[in-house]
Amino acid sequence: YKYLNSGPGGTAGMFIHENHHKSDLPKLAGWWGHNKATRFKMGDEFDPIKTAESWQVSNAPVLSMSALRASLDIFDAVPLESLRNKSLALSQCIMQMIDHLSEETGEKIKIITPREDAKRGGQVSVQFENRNNSFFQQISKNGVIADWREPGTIRMAIAPLYNSYEDISKLESFKRFFRNMKRYTVVGAGLVGSLLSLYLSKKGHQVDVYERRKDPRKNKKSEGRSINLALSERGWASLKEVGIEKEVLFDAIPMYRRVMHDIEGKLSYQDYGKNGQAIYSVSRGGLNRLLIEKAESKPNIKISFDHKCIAANLNDASVTFEHQRKTNEIKNDAVFGTDGAFSKIRLEFQKRSGFSYSQDYIEHGYKELNINPGPEGSFRLEKEALHIWPRGGYMLIALPNPDGSFTCT
């Protein structure tokens, strides 16, 4: 297919030695491979022809055959040796460009295709240590038509019959991409920080995330307030953008209405929307752990736990962290502060002229309670609802969990 314009589903050839014609080697049972003498008896069993013909599956598709026929006329006019030489020259050109790109940008790139002509076929495979599929999507938009293979590998197939050196020059878009790529520091790996890192990763940037807490996946004990989230359409849209909405939905519970409990135990109801519309009860800690897991799976995101931000210089985007009684200054292209209510990054902004900030404390306190599940994990209250006990100067709310319990505040 690299020489005759063929593609998926196109005509293909295969040599099968006569020693195997009568063997039971695996094959697809197709009309054209069936014994011609019994083909029209429409039997239930496949009766293969005792020649290489038994490997035939179907008649050739007309459209791809037309392209093949057109290329055969050109192919007859060009010696195969000339095509092979051009293929080698084009692949050599690609490898030289990749070498220069790696040297110029410092990008960690490995050519995994053999450099020796005798060992190289009609393609070049290049592995990028710190790149994911979003990088491939970006260069595809700039005219580089190739294949993506995990992990981090781009395979470029050369068709010497019509590819030119000008086509190869489109690999310059790699260079433009790396020039536009930034390296960012994100302070805080909570819900906002971990989600932001996925967005930045999707744009192809390098992201260094630093979190004061220990890894919450290893330390299951909740730190801070763990009240469930009531996730609405805006939240789902954000999760969908980074491709994890289905995983979150698996453990989410729809809440179609509020159930109001008055002091006498009577119930009243307030729908959250039209029929079928709901907000969803989602574990805050569970969602955070999932976002961290997804972020760490990206080759261009690195998360460092147990790193406390102790200083920041917003003029040069440098941040100083303390880890195991040692300090380390990190300087990248920009800093994002997602480090919560007592943000060190926001404190640095407050020191700058023209930055307005206000903070007000409410008179109410906060207490987390729990309603245990009923027998065999049953729900003691209506499952698909947000429950509220309003009492004037205070209130109690309860959100459902998959195990039958309710998280209350």
Side-chain angles (χ1 to χ4, degrees):
Y1 67 90
K2 294 183 179 69
Y3 293 94
L4 292 174
N5 299 345
S6 188
T11 302
M14 179 171 62
F15 173 77
I16 303 168
H17 195 278
E18 61 183 8
N19 290 344
H20 304 298
H21 288 180
K22 298 180 182 181
S23 71
D24 294 326
L25 288 174
K27 64 189 71 174
L28 294 174
W31 172 263
W32 291 100
H34 197 94
N35 186 342
K36 299 174 184 178
T38 61
R39 185 179 293 170
F40 284 94
K41 292 184 179 181
M42 306 299 179
D44 295 334
E45 300 293 328
F46 177 56
D47 182 13
I49 302 173
K50 304 304 181 184
T51 68
E53 292 178 281
S54 65
W55 270 266
Q56 296 179 107
V57 177
S58 179
N59 55 314
V62 176
L63 291 178
S64 64
M65 286 290 286
S66 299
L68 176 61
R69 182 175 180 179
S71 64
L72 282 172
D73 294 336
I74 305 172
F75 188 78
D76 287 341
V78 181
L80 183 59
E81 182 180 0
S82 297
L83 282 177
R84 174 61 176 160
N85 289 337
K86 185 181 179 184
S87 174
L88 290 171
L90 288 172
S91 60
Q92 183 67 35
C93 182
I94 289 177
M95 291 190 290
Q96 289 175 353
M97 290 188 70
I98 295 298
D99 287 338
H100 292 156
L101 175 69
S102 179
E103 182 178 346
E104 183 177 333
T105 65
E107 186 74 14
K108 295 180 179 179
I109 310 173
K110 179 181 180 182
I111 297 175
I112 58 179
T113 296
R115 292 179 181 267
E116 300 91 332
D117 288 354
K119 296 181 179 180
R120 190 167 71 253
Q123 66 183 39
V124 176
S125 293
V126 180
Q127 195 167 59
F128 294 80
E129 184 174 318
N130 299 314
R131 297 291 149 208
N132 56 22
N133 187 258
S134 62
F135 163 63
F136 174 68
Q137 298 299 328
Q138 291 286 333
I139 64 169
S140 296
K141 292 177 183 178
N142 287 293
V144 177
I145 308 301
D147 292 327
W148 175 260
R149 297 288 186 272
E150 295 290 356
T153 302
I154 292 178
R155 187 182 71 162
M156 292 165 280
I158 300 161
L161 204 58
Y162 55 87
N163 276 145
S164 66
Y165 291 99
E166 184 178 354
D167 294 331
I168 304 302
S169 69
K170 291 180 180 179
L171 294 180
E172 283 292 318
S173 66
F174 281 25
K175 191 178 298 183
R176 291 195 300 272
F177 178 86
F178 292 129
R179 284 173 179 163
N180 294 331
M181 185 196 73
K182 304 292 184 183
R183 191 176 194 113
Y184 295 120
T185 302
V186 175
V187 183
L191 295 176
V192 175
S194 51
L195 180 61
L196 173 63
S197 69
L198 288 168
Y199 270 82
L200 294 173
S201 166
K202 191 176 179 182
K203 293 292 185 180
H205 302 298
Q206 292 288 127
V207 188
D208 297 320
V209 185
Y210 293 90
E211 170 57 47
R212 177 186 59 82
R213 301 171 296 168
K214 296 185 182 299
D215 190 337
R217 295 166 299 175
K218 300 175 182 177
N219 180 26
K220 299 291 183 172
K221 183 179 179 181
S222 175
E223 293 188 31
R225 301 183 177 185
S226 59
I227 180 175
N228 288 18
L229 293 172
L231 205 59
S232 65
E233 182 58 31
R234 183 174 61 178
W236 285 115
S238 300
L239 298 176
K240 187 175 182 179
E241 279 292 317
V242 294
I244 65 170
E245 79 282 3
K246 291 182 179 179
E247 292 175 75
V248 178
L249 188 60
F250 184 79
D251 283 325
I253 298 178
M255 299 183 294
Y256 296 101
R257 61 184 182 177
R258 296 174 182 166
V259 177
M260 314 292 288
H261 301 249
D262 72 13
I263 198 166
E264 296 178 356
K266 295 180 181 179
L267 305 180
S268 59
Y269 307 96
Q270 296 175 349
D271 291 339
Y272 276 117
K274 299 178 181 179
N275 290 338
Q277 292 182 324
I279 59 176
Y280 288 76
S281 175
V282 175
S283 165
R284 183 186 300 266
L287 178 57
N288 195 185
R289 289 189 288 272
L290 177 61
L291 285 167
I292 288 173
E293 193 73 31
K294 291 299 178 182
E296 278 205 329
S297 70
K298 305 300 182 183
N300 53 339
I301 299 178
K302 179 182 178 182
I303 303 180
S304 300
F305 296 99
D306 196 21
H307 279 68
K308 181 181 179 181
C309 175
I310 59 174
N313 185 336
L314 301 181
N315 293 321
D316 65 358
S318 64
V319 186
T320 303
F321 297 95
E322 183 183 86
H323 174 63
Q324 295 179 348
R325 298 183 179 181
K326 296 180 180 179
T327 60
N328 185 26
E329 184 182 69
I330 305 297
K331 184 178 179 180
N332 286 331
D333 294 298
V335 179
F336 291 89
T338 61
D339 46 340
F342 303 100
S343 169
K344 187 69 176 178
I345 303 301
R346 184 174 64 240
L347 181 62
E348 292 301 320
F349 272 111
Q350 289 175 236
K351 299 175 183 178
R352 300 167 72 96
S353 61
F355 185 86
S356 299
Y357 171 75
S358 64
Q359 179 173 295
D360 298 304
Y361 289 93
I362 61 175
E363 60 184 12
H364 296 83
Y366 170 97
K367 184 68 175 177
E368 182 175 326
L369 304 172
N370 189 67
I371 297 177
N372 292 325
E376 299 180 358
S378 61
F379 290 84
R380 297 180 183 273
L381 301 170
E382 181 181 332
K383 174 185 176 182
E384 296 180 337
L386 189 153
H387 296 267
I388 303 177
W389 290 260
R391 296 296 184 265
Y394 65 95
M395 66 182 293
L396 176 72
I397 66 172
L399 284 78
N401 297 309
D403 64 355
S405 67
F406 285 83
T407 300
C408 308
T409 50

